[in-house]
Amino acid sequence: MAANRRSKAAREGFPNVRKAPTHMAMDIRAILMGLAFAVMWSSAFTSARIIVAAAPPLSALALRFLISGLLAVVIARAMGQTWRLTRNQWRATIVFGICQNALYLGLNFVAMQTIEASLAAIIASTMPLLVALAGWLFLGDTLRKQAVFGLLAGIAGVAIIMGARFGGGLDLYGVGLCVIGVLALTVATLSLHGATSGGNFMMVVGLQMLVGSAVLWVPALALETVQVEWSASLISAFLYTTLVPGLAATFVWVLLVDRIGAVRAATFHFLNPFLGVAIAAAFLGESLRPLDMLGVAVIAAGILAVQLAKIPSVERKTAKN
Protein backbone atom coordinates (compact mmCIF):
# COMPACT_ATOMS: atom_id res chain seq x y z
CA MET A 1 0.00 0.00 0.00
CA ALA A 2 2.87 2.37 0.84
CA ALA A 3 4.42 1.48 -2.51
CA ASN A 4 1.16 2.42 -4.25
CA ARG A 5 1.18 5.79 -2.53
CA ARG A 6 4.79 6.39 -3.60
CA SER A 7 4.05 5.41 -7.19
CA LYS A 8 1.04 7.74 -7.27
CA ALA A 9 3.19 10.62 -5.99
CA ALA A 10 5.79 9.84 -8.65
CA ARG A 11 3.16 9.96 -11.38
CA GLU A 12 2.09 13.40 -10.11
CA GLY A 13 5.66 14.68 -10.45
CA PHE A 14 6.66 14.51 -6.79
CA PRO A 15 8.52 11.22 -6.26
CA ASN A 16 9.58 12.13 -2.72
CA VAL A 17 6.58 14.15 -1.54
CA ARG A 18 5.16 12.97 1.74
CA LYS A 19 3.69 14.43 4.89
CA ALA A 20 6.84 15.19 6.82
CA PRO A 21 6.97 14.34 10.51
CA THR A 22 6.81 17.53 12.50
CA HIS A 23 9.78 16.36 14.60
CA MET A 24 12.02 16.01 11.54
CA ALA A 25 15.25 17.99 11.86
CA MET A 26 16.16 20.46 9.14
CA ASP A 27 18.66 19.11 6.63
CA ILE A 28 20.85 21.10 4.26
CA ARG A 29 18.26 20.99 1.49
CA ALA A 30 15.54 22.35 3.77
CA ILE A 31 17.84 25.13 5.02
CA LEU A 32 18.70 26.17 1.46
CA MET A 33 15.01 26.09 0.50
CA GLY A 34 14.15 28.25 3.51
CA LEU A 35 16.87 30.79 2.77
CA ALA A 36 15.85 30.95 -0.89
CA PHE A 37 12.22 31.50 0.08
CA ALA A 38 13.12 34.28 2.53
CA VAL A 39 15.17 36.15 -0.09
CA MET A 40 12.49 35.78 -2.77
CA TRP A 41 9.66 36.77 -0.42
CA SER A 42 11.50 39.81 0.92
CA SER A 43 12.55 41.03 -2.53
CA ALA A 44 8.92 41.21 -3.69
CA PHE A 45 8.38 44.54 -1.92
CA THR A 46 11.22 46.21 -3.80
CA SER A 47 10.06 44.99 -7.22
CA ALA A 48 6.46 45.95 -6.36
CA ARG A 49 7.55 49.47 -5.44
CA ILE A 50 9.16 49.85 -8.88
CA ILE A 51 6.00 48.58 -10.59
CA VAL A 52 3.47 50.80 -8.78
CA ALA A 53 5.56 53.91 -9.52
CA ALA A 54 4.92 53.39 -13.24
CA ALA A 55 1.69 51.38 -13.60
CA PRO A 56 -1.75 51.07 -11.96
CA PRO A 57 -1.21 48.71 -9.00
CA LEU A 58 -4.29 46.51 -9.14
CA SER A 59 -4.18 46.02 -12.89
CA ALA A 60 -0.48 45.17 -12.77
CA LEU A 61 -1.03 42.68 -9.96
CA ALA A 62 -4.03 41.06 -11.66
CA LEU A 63 -2.00 40.61 -14.84
CA ARG A 64 0.92 39.21 -12.86
CA PHE A 65 -1.28 36.57 -11.23
CA LEU A 66 -2.94 35.71 -14.52
CA ILE A 67 0.45 35.01 -16.13
CA SER A 68 1.90 33.25 -13.08
CA GLY A 69 -1.23 31.17 -12.60
CA LEU A 70 -1.41 30.01 -16.21
CA LEU A 71 2.30 29.13 -16.19
CA ALA A 72 1.88 27.14 -12.98
CA VAL A 73 -1.12 25.23 -14.35
CA VAL A 74 0.76 24.37 -17.55
CA ILE A 75 3.78 23.18 -15.54
CA ALA A 76 1.50 21.18 -13.23
CA ARG A 77 -0.17 19.43 -16.17
CA ALA A 78 3.25 18.64 -17.64
CA MET A 79 4.15 17.06 -14.28
CA GLY A 80 1.07 14.87 -14.48
CA GLN A 81 -0.95 16.75 -11.88
CA THR A 82 -4.70 17.28 -12.02
CA TRP A 83 -7.07 20.08 -11.08
CA ARG A 84 -9.33 17.53 -9.43
CA LEU A 85 -8.45 18.67 -5.95
CA THR A 86 -9.83 17.43 -2.67
CA ARG A 87 -12.57 19.43 -0.99
CA ASN A 88 -10.09 20.73 1.60
CA GLN A 89 -7.67 21.74 -1.13
CA TRP A 90 -10.35 23.66 -3.04
CA ARG A 91 -11.46 25.46 0.10
CA ALA A 92 -7.88 26.33 1.06
CA THR A 93 -7.04 27.36 -2.52
CA ILE A 94 -9.98 29.77 -2.73
CA VAL A 95 -9.38 31.29 0.71
CA PHE A 96 -5.65 31.57 0.04
CA GLY A 97 -6.23 33.12 -3.38
CA ILE A 98 -8.61 35.74 -2.02
CA CYS A 99 -6.87 36.56 1.26
CA GLN A 100 -3.22 36.47 0.18
CA ASN A 101 -3.23 37.29 -3.50
CA ALA A 102 -6.18 39.67 -3.77
CA LEU A 103 -6.39 41.31 -0.33
CA TYR A 104 -2.88 41.15 1.13
CA LEU A 105 -0.92 41.83 -2.05
CA GLY A 106 -3.57 44.07 -3.58
CA LEU A 107 -3.63 46.33 -0.53
CA ASN A 108 0.18 46.33 -0.33
CA PHE A 109 0.54 47.29 -3.99
CA VAL A 110 -1.83 50.23 -3.48
CA ALA A 111 -0.09 51.21 -0.22
CA MET A 112 3.38 51.25 -1.76
CA GLN A 113 2.35 54.19 -3.90
CA THR A 114 2.72 56.31 -0.75
CA ILE A 115 4.94 54.34 1.69
CA GLU A 116 8.39 52.82 1.38
CA ALA A 117 8.93 49.19 0.43
CA SER A 118 10.93 48.61 3.62
CA LEU A 119 8.03 49.69 5.83
CA ALA A 120 5.60 47.47 3.93
CA ALA A 121 8.02 44.55 4.33
CA ILE A 122 8.35 45.16 8.08
CA ILE A 123 4.57 45.22 8.60
CA ALA A 124 4.08 42.08 6.50
CA SER A 125 6.86 40.27 8.38
CA THR A 126 4.78 40.37 11.58
CA MET A 127 2.52 37.69 10.09
CA PRO A 128 4.01 34.78 12.14
CA LEU A 129 3.31 36.75 15.31
CA LEU A 130 -0.29 37.32 14.25
CA VAL A 131 -0.70 33.64 13.36
CA ALA A 132 0.45 32.68 16.86
CA LEU A 133 -1.90 35.23 18.41
CA ALA A 134 -4.84 34.05 16.27
CA GLY A 135 -4.12 30.45 17.20
CA TRP A 136 -4.32 31.39 20.89
CA LEU A 137 -7.44 33.55 20.53
CA PHE A 138 -9.50 31.45 18.14
CA LEU A 139 -8.06 27.94 17.91
CA GLY A 140 -7.32 27.20 21.54
CA ASP A 141 -3.54 27.00 21.11
CA THR A 142 -1.46 27.26 24.27
CA LEU A 143 1.22 29.95 24.34
CA ARG A 144 4.39 29.07 26.24
CA LYS A 145 6.22 31.83 28.10
CA GLN A 146 8.77 32.01 25.29
CA ALA A 147 5.98 32.64 22.76
CA VAL A 148 4.44 35.35 24.95
CA PHE A 149 7.85 37.02 25.13
CA GLY A 150 8.10 36.81 21.34
CA LEU A 151 4.69 38.44 20.84
CA LEU A 152 5.55 41.27 23.24
CA ALA A 153 8.92 41.74 21.52
CA GLY A 154 7.21 41.93 18.13
CA ILE A 155 4.80 44.60 19.39
CA ALA A 156 7.71 46.55 20.89
CA GLY A 157 9.66 46.33 17.63
CA VAL A 158 6.75 47.68 15.59
CA ALA A 159 6.27 50.49 18.14
CA ILE A 160 9.94 51.45 17.85
CA ILE A 161 9.77 51.67 14.06
CA MET A 162 6.44 53.51 13.92
CA GLY A 163 7.49 55.94 16.65
CA ALA A 164 10.63 56.81 14.73
CA ARG A 165 8.70 57.41 11.50
CA PHE A 166 5.66 59.32 12.74
CA GLY A 167 7.55 62.59 12.71
CA GLY A 168 8.72 62.10 9.13
CA GLY A 169 5.46 62.45 7.22
CA LEU A 170 4.32 58.83 7.54
CA ASP A 171 1.27 58.12 5.38
CA LEU A 172 -1.27 56.59 7.77
CA TYR A 173 -3.58 55.55 4.93
CA GLY A 174 -0.85 53.43 3.37
CA VAL A 175 0.07 51.98 6.76
CA GLY A 176 -3.57 51.12 7.38
CA LEU A 177 -3.80 49.27 4.08
CA CYS A 178 -0.68 47.25 4.98
CA VAL A 179 -2.14 46.38 8.40
CA ILE A 180 -5.38 45.13 6.85
CA GLY A 181 -3.28 43.25 4.31
CA VAL A 182 -1.20 41.42 6.93
CA LEU A 183 -4.40 40.41 8.75
CA ALA A 184 -5.63 38.90 5.48
CA LEU A 185 -2.26 37.17 5.06
CA THR A 186 -2.71 35.66 8.52
CA VAL A 187 -6.04 34.14 7.48
CA ALA A 188 -4.43 32.87 4.27
CA THR A 189 -1.61 31.22 6.21
CA LEU A 190 -4.03 29.49 8.55
CA SER A 191 -5.89 28.15 5.50
CA LEU A 192 -2.74 26.70 3.90
CA HIS A 193 -2.90 23.56 6.05
CA GLY A 194 -5.65 22.13 3.88
CA ALA A 195 -3.67 22.71 0.70
CA THR A 196 -0.56 20.77 1.71
CA SER A 197 -2.20 17.38 1.73
CA GLY A 198 -3.33 15.41 -1.30
CA GLY A 199 -0.49 16.26 -3.71
CA ASN A 200 -0.94 18.47 -6.80
CA PHE A 201 1.13 21.21 -5.19
CA MET A 202 2.00 23.11 -8.36
CA MET A 203 -1.63 22.94 -9.48
CA VAL A 204 -2.72 24.38 -6.12
CA VAL A 205 -0.20 27.21 -6.55
CA GLY A 206 -1.51 27.99 -10.04
CA LEU A 207 -5.18 27.87 -9.15
CA GLN A 208 -4.85 30.12 -6.10
CA MET A 209 -3.10 32.67 -8.32
CA LEU A 210 -5.91 32.53 -10.86
CA VAL A 211 -8.43 33.03 -8.04
CA GLY A 212 -6.51 36.11 -6.94
CA SER A 213 -6.35 37.42 -10.49
CA ALA A 214 -10.10 37.01 -11.02
CA VAL A 215 -10.89 38.90 -7.81
CA LEU A 216 -8.41 41.71 -8.55
CA TRP A 217 -9.70 42.39 -12.05
CA VAL A 218 -13.04 43.60 -10.62
CA PRO A 219 -11.69 46.67 -8.76
CA ALA A 220 -8.91 47.14 -11.33
CA LEU A 221 -11.34 47.57 -14.21
CA ALA A 222 -13.78 49.61 -12.14
CA LEU A 223 -11.38 52.00 -10.44
CA GLU A 224 -8.20 52.32 -12.50
CA THR A 225 -7.23 53.99 -15.75
CA VAL A 226 -4.46 52.11 -17.49
CA GLN A 227 -1.58 54.56 -17.88
CA VAL A 228 1.85 52.99 -17.99
CA GLU A 229 5.25 54.68 -18.06
CA TRP A 230 7.20 52.02 -19.94
CA SER A 231 10.85 51.51 -19.09
CA ALA A 232 13.40 48.73 -18.84
CA SER A 233 13.20 48.81 -15.05
CA LEU A 234 9.42 48.39 -15.12
CA ILE A 235 9.60 45.43 -17.50
CA SER A 236 12.39 43.81 -15.50
CA ALA A 237 10.56 44.31 -12.20
CA PHE A 238 7.32 42.92 -13.62
CA LEU A 239 9.01 39.83 -15.07
CA TYR A 240 10.92 39.28 -11.83
CA THR A 241 7.90 39.63 -9.56
CA THR A 242 5.84 37.37 -11.83
CA LEU A 243 8.34 34.51 -12.01
CA VAL A 244 10.33 34.70 -8.76
CA PRO A 245 8.24 35.94 -5.80
CA GLY A 246 5.03 35.18 -7.67
CA LEU A 247 5.69 31.62 -8.82
CA ALA A 248 8.95 30.20 -7.50
CA ALA A 249 8.67 31.48 -3.90
CA THR A 250 5.13 30.18 -3.45
CA PHE A 251 6.05 26.76 -4.80
CA VAL A 252 9.21 26.54 -2.66
CA TRP A 253 7.20 27.49 0.42
CA VAL A 254 4.58 24.77 -0.13
CA LEU A 255 7.31 22.16 -0.70
CA LEU A 256 9.19 23.37 2.38
CA VAL A 257 6.06 23.05 4.55
CA ASP A 258 5.53 19.55 3.20
CA ARG A 259 9.16 18.62 3.87
CA ILE A 260 9.67 19.82 7.45
CA GLY A 261 6.24 20.96 8.63
CA ALA A 262 4.67 24.41 8.87
CA VAL A 263 6.12 25.22 12.30
CA ARG A 264 9.75 24.63 11.38
CA ALA A 265 9.31 26.20 7.94
CA ALA A 266 7.88 29.36 9.49
CA THR A 267 11.08 29.94 11.50
CA PHE A 268 12.64 31.30 8.30
CA HIS A 269 10.27 34.26 8.50
CA PHE A 270 12.53 35.81 11.14
CA LEU A 271 14.88 36.71 8.27
CA ASN A 272 12.24 38.72 6.40
CA PRO A 273 12.47 42.00 8.32
CA PHE A 274 16.26 42.16 7.79
CA LEU A 275 16.11 41.11 4.14
CA GLY A 276 13.17 43.36 3.28
CA VAL A 277 14.92 46.45 4.62
CA ALA A 278 18.33 45.49 3.19
CA ILE A 279 17.04 44.78 -0.33
CA ALA A 280 15.01 48.00 -0.43
CA ALA A 281 18.09 49.97 0.69
CA ALA A 282 20.32 48.29 -1.89
CA PHE A 283 18.04 48.65 -4.94
CA LEU A 284 15.83 51.64 -4.12
CA GLY A 285 18.19 53.71 -2.00
CA GLU A 286 15.78 53.77 0.95
CA SER A 287 17.40 55.05 4.12
CA LEU A 288 18.46 52.77 6.96
CA ARG A 289 17.55 54.57 10.19
CA PRO A 290 19.17 53.38 13.45
CA LEU A 291 15.79 52.97 15.16
CA ASP A 292 14.51 51.03 12.13
CA MET A 293 17.36 48.55 12.49
CA LEU A 294 16.75 48.26 16.23
CA GLY A 295 13.04 47.64 15.65
CA VAL A 296 13.78 45.09 12.92
CA ALA A 297 16.13 43.22 15.25
CA VAL A 298 13.51 43.15 18.01
CA ILE A 299 10.79 41.93 15.62
CA ALA A 300 13.08 39.24 14.22
CA ALA A 301 13.92 38.04 17.73
CA GLY A 302 10.21 37.94 18.55
CA ILE A 303 9.38 35.90 15.45
CA LEU A 304 12.17 33.44 16.18
CA ALA A 305 11.07 33.07 19.82
CA VAL A 306 7.45 32.41 18.82
CA GLN A 307 8.34 29.81 16.21
CA LEU A 308 10.91 28.00 18.36
CA ALA A 309 8.42 27.89 21.23
CA LYS A 310 6.03 25.87 19.05
CA ILE A 311 8.48 23.11 18.17
CA PRO A 312 8.72 21.27 21.54
CA SER A 313 4.93 21.10 21.96
CA VAL A 314 4.47 19.82 18.42
CA GLU A 315 7.12 17.17 18.96
CA ARG A 316 5.45 16.04 22.20
CA LYS A 317 2.13 15.61 20.42
CA THR A 318 3.84 13.62 17.65
CA ALA A 319 5.54 11.36 20.20
CA LYS A 320 2.22 10.61 21.90
CA ASN A 321 0.66 9.62 18.57
Side-chain angles (χ1 to χ4, degrees):
M1 194 167 188
N4 289 337
R5 286 197 297 268
R6 285 193 296 269
S7 62
K8 181 181 179 181
R11 287 195 301 272
E12 292 178 345
F14 291 92
N16 296 315
V17 164
R18 64 197 181 283
K19 184 173 179 58
T22 50
H23 61 275
M24 176 181 176
M26 291 188 191
D27 55 13
I28 294 298
R29 183 176 179 182
I31 291 173
L32 292 176
M33 289 171 65
L35 292 175
F37 165 77
V39 172
M40 290 187 288
W41 190 91
S42 301
S43 68
F45 298 92
T46 294
S47 59
R49 176 75 167 162
I50 296 172
I51 291 170
V52 301
L58 298 180
S59 298
L61 188 59
L63 181 60
R64 164 196 155 175
F65 280 132
L66 178 61
I67 296 172
S68 296
L70 291 175
L71 284 174
V73 169
V74 169
I75 294 171
R77 293 299 293 164
M79 297 169 72
Q81 297 179 29
T82 176
W83 38 61
R84 294 178 181 176
L85 308 181
T86 66
R87 181 175 297 180
N88 285 339
Q89 281 185 317
W90 272 119
R91 180 168 55 248
T93 297
I94 292 171
V95 173
F96 197 77
I98 293 173
C99 290
Q100 171 173 289
N101 297 339
L103 292 176
Y104 159 64
L105 284 172
L107 291 170
N108 270 267
F109 264 55
V110 173
M112 278 188 283
Q113 292 179 304
T114 57
I115 67 170
E116 293 182 334
S118 57
L119 180 57
I122 290 168
I123 295 173
S125 69
T126 62
M127 179 271 293
L129 303 175
L130 295 174
V131 168
L133 182 61
W136 175 62
L137 291 175
F138 305 113
L139 302 179
D141 293 348
T142 301
L143 288 181
R144 300 172 67 225
K145 291 182 179 179
Q146 182 178 342
V148 174
F149 165 78
L151 287 173
L152 294 176
I155 294 171
V158 172
I160 291 171
I161 293 170
M162 293 303 177
R165 295 195 180 213
F166 265 123
L170 183 67
D171 181 61
L172 294 180
Y173 174 71
V175 171
L177 292 181
C178 287
V179 170
I180 297 172
V182 77
L183 293 175
L185 179 61
T186 300
V187 175
T189 302
L190 293 173
S191 77
L192 186 61
H193 175 74
T196 58
S197 59
N200 295 315
F201 296 131
M202 180 59 88
M203 184 63 72
V204 168
V205 168
L207 292 176
Q208 53 96 352
M209 288 179 179
L210 293 178
V211 169
S213 177
V215 173
L216 284 165
W217 278 120
V218 176
L221 294 174
L223 302 175
E224 293 182 340
T225 300
V226 179
Q227 294 180 339
V228 181
E229 297 178 10
W230 293 102
S231 66
S233 61
L234 171 62
I235 295 172
S236 299
F238 184 81
L239 290 176
Y240 176 82
T241 198
T242 299
L243 299 176
V244 181
L247 186 59
T250 305
F251 186 52
V252 168
W253 172 251
V254 174
L255 288 181
L256 183 64
V257 169
D258 186 70
R259 184 175 183 83
I260 61 175
V263 172
R264 289 188 181 278
T267 58
F268 288 99
H269 278 292
F270 90 93
L271 296 170
N272 292 334
F274 290 107
L275 293 173
V277 170
I279 293 172
F283 289 92
L284 299 178
E286 294 186 2
S287 59
L288 289 174
R289 304 171 182 86
L291 285 178
D292 283 350
M293 297 309 298
L294 174 61
V296 163
V298 173
I299 292 172
I303 293 171
L304 190 59
V306 166
Q307 295 308 132
L308 292 178
K310 293 180 181 180
I311 294 175
S313 61
V314 171
E315 291 179 348
R316 285 195 296 270
K317 290 178 182 178
T318 303
K320 289 180 181 179
N321 295 334

